[in-house]
Amino acid sequence: ASAETSVRMLKTWDDRYAGSSAICDRYAEMLEEASGGEISVQMFGPETIPPLDQLEPVQNGLFQVLCTYPGFHTGAITLLTGLESIRPEAEAFRDSGARDVIDEAYGALGVQTLSVPLAHGYWIYLNRDLSDQGDLTGLQVRALPPQHPYVASLGGTPVVLPPAEMFSALERGVVEGAYFPAAGATGYGFAEVTKLYFDTKTTSPHIILANQSFWDGLDDATREVFESQAIVLEDETPGVYDRLNAEEAEKMAAAGMELIELSDEAAGRLAAAVVSGSWAFAGSRNPDEAARMREAVENAGLLRE
Amino acid sequence: MLRSLGLFHDHLSELGLWLGMMALAALATLSFAGTMSRYLLSTPLGWVPDWTGYTLAASIFITAPAVTKHGQHVAMDFIAAAATSRTVVRFLTGIAAAMTFIVLATMTWIVTDSLLAAFRSGTGTAAGYPIPRWWLLSFITYGFGSSAVHFLRTALTAFLGKEKFSDLHISREAN
Amino acid sequence: MPIAIGFGALALLFIIGVPVFAAFFGFNIIAALGLMGPQGLSIFAASILDTSMTSELVTVPLFILLGELLFRSGCITILFDAVDDIVGRIRGRQYVIVVLISVLLGALSGSAVAVAAMLGKTVMSEAMERGGDKRLLAGLVLGGACLAPIIPPSFLIVLIGMLSGTSISALLAAGVLPGLVAGLLFFAYVQFLLWRDPSRDMTSSPGKLRGPMWKAVISLLPFSIVIFAVLGLILLGIATPNEAAACGVFGALAVAAIYGKLSVRMILNSLKGAILMSAMILLIMAASKVLTQLLAFSGLTRDLVAFLTALDMPTVMVLILLMIIPFVLCMFLDQIALLLILIPIYTPLLDTFGFDPLVFWTLFLLNLTLGAITPPFGYALFALGSASPREVSLRDIYGASWPFIGLILLTLVLVWAVPGLATWLPSQL
Ligand code: NA
Ligand code: NA
């Protein structure tokens, strides 16, 4: 039996992104259930703290737990971007030793890493056909800067656009495509503004963090709940996302979206760019940790070819 | 001594205004050049959106003291507008300026705290073309701090008299 | 409780005449201390930085600069004279011209604040020099500013479409007719007012026609550069709103050059005016963003919505309630932040109560635009207060806004009663 613990949990997404409920709400639920109500979680979303500013209030204890995507705090740490290049296999990932590197790097920022749920994937949505070369040659594709090498490897021109402008830009043909998570695609409105999509076979790493002094102040039994439920969450996430993505694909088909395949040659170029690009960005703030983590996942055979 | 300090502060605010004007010209030119480059040369300038944001943030806060100095802030003017006596207007202006000084001084202290934290940790902006956050927070700190001083000078002028501390036009405040 | 104390402090600071942005920050400091303790203050800097480096907000200073350039070069006077000649003899023609120009400029911009500022600086001072009634003019400018987010292009519509999962193109099309209806209502209101009280019609220049209409039309042609730079580029899919605004600025420079009114001094003065006003507006926006975050943290907004929607009521009452909530909250909150809070809560209710998404979100949008012109905190009010001539006080502007709030509310009722206003155009796409 653990002491009563109340947690203010901050999450990055509103409910349009599946991870909001499948990862953040789910973890909160599991904590409350597994602790027999000893742990109570109060959830706060991006309307309380904007996505890009969420790490700091957890570091200084305004919130106890943060459920987010590492791309939103690359100003402080870029390490996790490298995980876009691995297969989302929870157990092999835990066994690889990569978590030690992550715990250490995030620990230096004053936060305890609770869980790193890996999910599959990202799609590229297009409002016109692939080029004659069967890739993105001549197309402008919206992507966040860490993913620009992926677009460039297919001959496309990566473009930075704020999310608010992305949909109208696609609709009006200002850009021809966008790199965006698969989960929740129809909810975001891609089916309205594009007609084709293909799977980029990249992984979305999520991360759940706790304020360090909050964590240090917990008793062993309560920590055990956080840790054991993190493992349950990590194990179930890839499967949940496979199901969600399959549902999404059905909705896309129903909305008239066509799923296309890249040629083996183009897919190979993309895969190589994902490996080199994601690790290059991971190393931009954390060169040593990125090298160690890459070695760990590579030895565990997790890197996608 | 006070007079030359005041003069220095005024000149600094005017310099900020000039920098803000240049920043706005840069924002227009940057966005225009970005558009032309994307559509005429098919070479989008990926750094334009990030640097647009940085320039905007810097321009707002480098200009903020001049906004105060030129009396361009919007305020509710019900009481001051109704007052007919110049002494009452002067008194109300002093109170409002003193309260504003307290708020802005507190804000300066708050953002200085974040500035120092950002400086120590070396955190960058979470962007494709990151820069250290403390660069931008310096502008914000300067904007609040210098504006606070302008309001302090206005309050002192209103309470202690004449143009000793500030040449701020009280009639403008009473608008 | 901290929120109540905070609002008390806010009201007090406003009454003594503390500038709006500083009063907001005063509220924020008190509310954050009460809600979160001293740690709460640590979110301020990040939030202010986040708001002030939002690249989409660049549209605001650029549209203000566009207005400054057209005004300080004297070009707006040419536009005004030309529309003047084209309108011909009609009751309250100077006001009708303001309505027309408002609609025209409103349809070029998506920002009520930018349009209010632009019109305040330009058309309003022109009309006042010609002897216009400052309150009626201020009201017309506020009404015209309201049209900007309703008639495409509109940044707010794109956000709503995105957040609610409704087709963006359909939503954009849905806004056109309601926007024009509101413009017609403004026209009718002016006619009614002057029919009741002809003395309010302008006494000076009661319709002196300077020249033939074809000359007026030709003198308007250079403006098509600006219109193309802004509206054309967006509709043709060449530029984002920011880029289009920047092209508009260069278009305005071209217009000034065509009329031989380009000078370094004029450009510098325009830059000065635009950056001073933009800094003032964006400071208020930053302060209001922090306030909205604190309200979200307190759970006040969410609880309020949850409570009101849990009541068991007829559908029409639910609709009215759902519309009253944003109407009231918009007086205090940032529109975009309010979108973030309300749309995810409202979206499931549409299915529950069977509301047509196009009609519902168009009503919601009309409501949001009201927020910009509703006292005491509407941004457009502050923007107009700062941009308009000195003899127009914030108190005048507050008074002027109410009839036009009424007219937009009437538009809301019309769209609800005749849903085709919102749904017909999208069905033609
Ligand atoms: Na518009
Ligand atoms: Na005014």
Side-chain angles (χ1 to χ4, degrees):
Chain A
S2 47
E4 291 222 0
T5 308
S6 64
V7 176
R8 281 205 293 255
M9 186 163 168
L10 187 57
K11 63 176 178 181
T12 299
W13 306 277
D14 59 53
D15 289 338
R16 285 171 307 154
Y17 176 61
S20 175
S21 51
I23 294 178
C24 306
D25 295 351
R26 174 78 178 126
Y27 188 54
E29 239 169 62
M30 292 194 304
L31 290 176
E32 294 184 327
E33 217 162 276
S35 66
E38 297 287 332
I39 299 175
S40 64
V41 181
Q42 196 185 358
M43 192 68 82
F44 295 89
E47 70 282 356
T48 312
I49 307 287
L52 296 179
D53 301 335
Q54 293 184 331
L55 185 59
E56 204 179 317
V58 178
Q59 287 172 307
N60 59 32
L62 194 54
F63 297 87
Q64 286 78 39
V65 176
L66 171 63
C67 177
T68 189
Y69 165 66
F72 287 116
H73 50 251
T74 53
I77 179 168
T78 50
L79 176 64
L80 259 57
T81 313
L83 300 182
E84 295 192 356
S85 67
I86 71 170
R87 281 192 303 278
E89 291 169 14
E91 202 176 338
F93 178 68
R94 276 196 303 272
D95 293 343
S96 71
R99 263 301 291 274
D100 297 338
V101 186
I102 296 171
D103 289 359
E104 196 182 302
Y106 275 88
L109 297 174
V111 283
Q112 170 75 34
T113 305
L114 297 177
S115 181
V116 184
L118 300 170
H120 167 234
Y122 279 93
W123 290 341
I124 285 180
Y125 307 84
L126 297 173
N127 57 20
R128 44 172 268 207
D129 295 329
L130 292 175
S131 66
D132 294 339
Q133 294 95 309
D135 60 13
L136 301 177
T137 302
L139 303 187
Q140 298 195 21
V141 178
R142 187 263 185 190
L144 295 175
Q147 286 96 30
H148 283 189
Y150 312 171
V151 173
S153 74
L154 293 173
T157 306
V159 181
V160 177
L161 278 179
E165 286 181 9
M166 172 172 65
F167 289 89
S168 56
L170 280 169
E171 185 165 34
R172 290 176 284 118
V174 175
V175 297
E176 283 85 24
Y179 176 94
F180 211 77
T186 38
Y188 279 96
F190 278 106
E192 310 277 357
V193 294
T194 56
K195 58 173 192 169
L196 305 170
Y197 69 102
F198 63 87
D199 190 348
T200 61
K201 308 222 162 48
T202 45
T203 290
S204 314
H206 302 75
I207 187 161
I208 306 179
L209 300 160
N211 171 272
Q212 194 65 55
S213 42
F214 162 78
W215 180 255
D216 293 342
L218 294 178
D219 59 45
D220 289 344
T222 311
R223 279 194 206 171
E224 216 292 305
V225 175
F226 277 93
E227 285 166 345
S228 60
Q229 297 312 300
I231 290 173
V232 177
L233 179 71
E234 286 169 1
D235 286 342
E236 73 174 26
T237 299
V240 168
Y241 267 71
D242 284 345
R243 182 171 55 71
L244 288 171
N245 291 350
E247 284 171 14
E248 204 61 54
E250 266 172 44
K251 284 192 213 160
M252 292 297 252
M257 293 284 288
E258 188 192 340
L259 174 64
I260 53 174
E261 291 282 343
L262 290 176
S263 67
D264 287 347
E265 183 273 329
R269 268 188 285 149
L270 176 60
V274 168
V275 171
S276 62
S278 66
W279 288 104
F281 192 83
S284 61
R285 273 193 87 89
N286 309 88
D288 302 341
E289 291 100 327
R292 280 166 57 204
M293 190 165 81
R294 177 169 180 169
E295 200 186 343
V297 293
E298 217 162 358
N299 290 340
L302 280 169
L303 222 52
R304 288 184 199 263
E305 288 317 320
Chain B
M1 180 62 189
L2 265 180
R3 195 153 197 92
S4 51
L5 270 181
L7 215 58
F8 172 73
H9 184 219
D10 286 341
H11 284 316
L12 195 62
S13 303
E14 288 304 309
L15 176 66
L17 175 56
W18 274 92
L19 292 174
M21 288 159 61
M22 295 306 109
L24 179 56
L27 283 173
T29 313
L30 212 62
S31 306
F32 187 67
T35 321
M36 293 302 125
S37 173
R38 185 195 302 186
Y39 293 100
L40 299 183
L41 311 174
S42 295
T43 338
L45 305 176
W47 50 273
V48 164
D50 283 348
W51 275 91
T52 300
Y54 303 152
T55 311
L56 181 67
S59 70
I60 294 170
F61 288 93
I62 197 89
T63 313
V67 177
T68 307
K69 180 171 175 283
H70 289 251
Q72 294 277 313
H73 284 300
V74 170
M76 310 279 162
D77 49 7
F78 304 109
I79 298 185
T84 46
S85 146
R86 189 161 167 75
T87 318
V88 173
V89 170
R90 191 174 265 273
F91 176 75
L92 285 171
T93 304
I95 295 280
M99 295 297 288
T100 309
F101 166 71
I102 293 171
V103 171
L104 295 186
T106 313
M107 286 305 300
T108 309
W109 170 70
I110 292 170
V111 294
T112 304
D113 208 45
S114 298
L115 166 65
L116 294 176
F119 182 76
R120 278 192 298 266
S121 68
T123 312
T125 53
Y129 300 84
I131 61 171
R133 278 169 72 90
W134 71 265
W135 291 5
L136 296 169
L137 288 168
S138 304
F139 285 98
I140 297 181
T141 309
Y142 165 76
F144 279 113
S146 178
S147 298
V149 174
H150 273 297
F151 280 103
L152 177 64
R153 289 170 62 199
T154 306
L156 290 174
T157 302
F159 289 132
L160 303 178
K162 303 281 150 52
E163 267 73 56
K164 196 168 176 184
F165 302 96
S166 163
D167 61 350
L168 201 129
H169 314 291
I170 288 173
S171 59
R172 186 65 188 84
E173 277 279 305
N175 179 27
Chain C
M1 195 57 188
I3 293 288
I5 297 173
F7 272 119
L10 183 63
L12 187 73
L13 292 174
F14 273 142
I15 289 168
I16 24 181
V18 168
V20 171
F21 86 104
F24 267 129
F25 278 120
F27 167 98
N28 292 337
I29 291 167
I30 292 170
L33 286 174
L35 284 170
M36 308 170 170
Q39 285 165 341
L41 301 177
S42 66
I43 68 168
F44 283 35
S47 171
I48 294 166
L49 182 54
D50 205 59
T51 308
S52 60
M53 58 183 251
T54 306
S55 61
E56 296 100 307
L57 280 180
V58 168
T59 315
V60 175
L62 292 184
F63 269 116
I64 295 174
L65 178 59
L66 166 57
E68 291 272 336
L69 287 169
L70 289 176
F71 175 64
R72 287 181 195 267
S73 64
C75 292
I76 283 286
T77 319
I78 296 166
L79 176 73
F80 199 85
D81 289 343
V83 175
D84 201 348
D85 286 351
I86 292 168
V87 164
R89 292 174 193 284
I90 187 167
R91 178 162 34 214
R93 56 191 305 278
Q94 301 288 10
Y95 300 112
V96 172
I97 289 164
V98 176
V99 174
L100 270 182
I101 294 181
S102 296
V103 172
L104 194 69
L105 293 185
L108 296 185
S109 158
S111 160
V113 170
V115 169
M118 190 199 274
L119 290 175
K121 266 261 186 296
T122 56
V123 181
M124 188 161 166
S125 28
E126 282 285 341
M128 275 176 65
E129 272 168 32
R130 297 176 191 212
D133 175 324
K134 64 178 176 181
R135 283 217 176 187
L136 182 52
L137 285 168
L140 285 169
V141 167
L142 290 173
C146 262
L147 302 182
I150 302 168
I151 302 174
S154 164
F155 169 63
L156 278 183
I157 292 184
V158 176
L159 274 188
I160 293 179
M162 246 180 74
L163 290 170
S164 69
T166 316
S167 159
I168 295 163
S169 51
L171 265 182
L172 281 168
V176 175
L177 289 179
L180 292 179
V181 166
L184 278 174
L185 287 177
F186 299 158
F187 173 79
Y189 175 71
V190 166
Q191 294 305 311
F192 172 76
L193 220 60
L194 298 180
W195 169 74
R196 288 247 328 253
D197 179 8
S199 72
R200 292 185 76 174
D201 208 345
M202 292 179 194
T203 45
S204 64
S205 72
K208 51 166 174 132
L209 298 183
R210 269 159 300 268
M213 193 182 279
W214 64 268
K215 265 194 171 164
V217 170
I218 284 179
S219 73
L220 276 180
L221 281 182
F223 288 98
S224 59
I225 296 174
V226 178
I227 291 174
F228 176 76
V230 178
L231 191 58
L233 291 185
I234 291 178
L235 290 183
L236 292 175
I238 296 180
T240 64
N242 279 352
E243 294 170 335
C247 294
V249 166
F250 282 85
L253 287 173
V255 172
I258 290 171
Y259 285 120
K261 296 188 169 181
L262 203 55
S263 77
V264 174
R265 171 180 285 272
M266 184 277 285
I267 293 174
L268 288 178
N269 283 336
S270 303
L271 284 170
K272 184 172 167 183
I275 192 66
L276 281 172
M277 187 187 307
S278 311
M280 185 276 291
I281 293 170
L282 295 177
L283 278 171
I284 296 178
M285 228 173 235
S288 142
K289 198 58 173 275
V290 178
L291 179 144
T292 309
Q293 286 176 233
L294 293 170
L295 289 189
F297 183 89
S298 77
L300 186 80
T301 37
R302 204 174 283 264
D303 291 349
L304 191 68
V305 171
F307 167 75
L308 289 171
T309 51
L311 298 174
D312 191 23
M313 286 178 306
T315 310
V316 183
M317 283 304 293
V318 174
L319 182 67
I320 291 172
L321 263 181
L322 292 185
M323 289 302 143
I324 284 176
I325 293 169
F327 178 74
V328 173
L329 291 181
C330 249
M331 294 182 191
F332 308 99
L333 297 187
D334 171 55
Q335 294 170 332
I336 294 163
L338 189 63
L339 286 179
L340 274 175
I341 296 173
L342 283 187
I343 292 183
I345 298 171
Y346 276 15
T347 305
L349 295 176
L350 264 63
D351 279 342
T352 316
F353 293 99
F355 300 125
D356 182 307
L358 290 178
V359 175
F360 185 89
W361 294 122
T362 302
L363 294 176
F364 186 77
L365 175 70
L366 282 162
N367 234 319
L368 279 184
T369 61
L370 271 180
I373 68 160
T374 306
F377 301 129
Y379 293 145
L381 299 168
F382 302 139
L384 180 59
S386 161
S388 61
R390 230 176 238 206
E391 60 265 36
V392 183
S393 70
L394 200 54
R395 192 170 41 164
D396 292 327
I397 291 171
Y398 277 19
S401 67
W402 293 109
F404 289 85
I405 291 168
L407 291 173
I408 303 260
L409 285 175
L410 183 56
T411 312
L412 234 114
V413 173
L414 284 173
V415 171
W416 171 75
V418 189
L421 285 173
T423 56
W424 180 76
L425 204 53
S427 72
Q428 302 301 306
L429 284 177

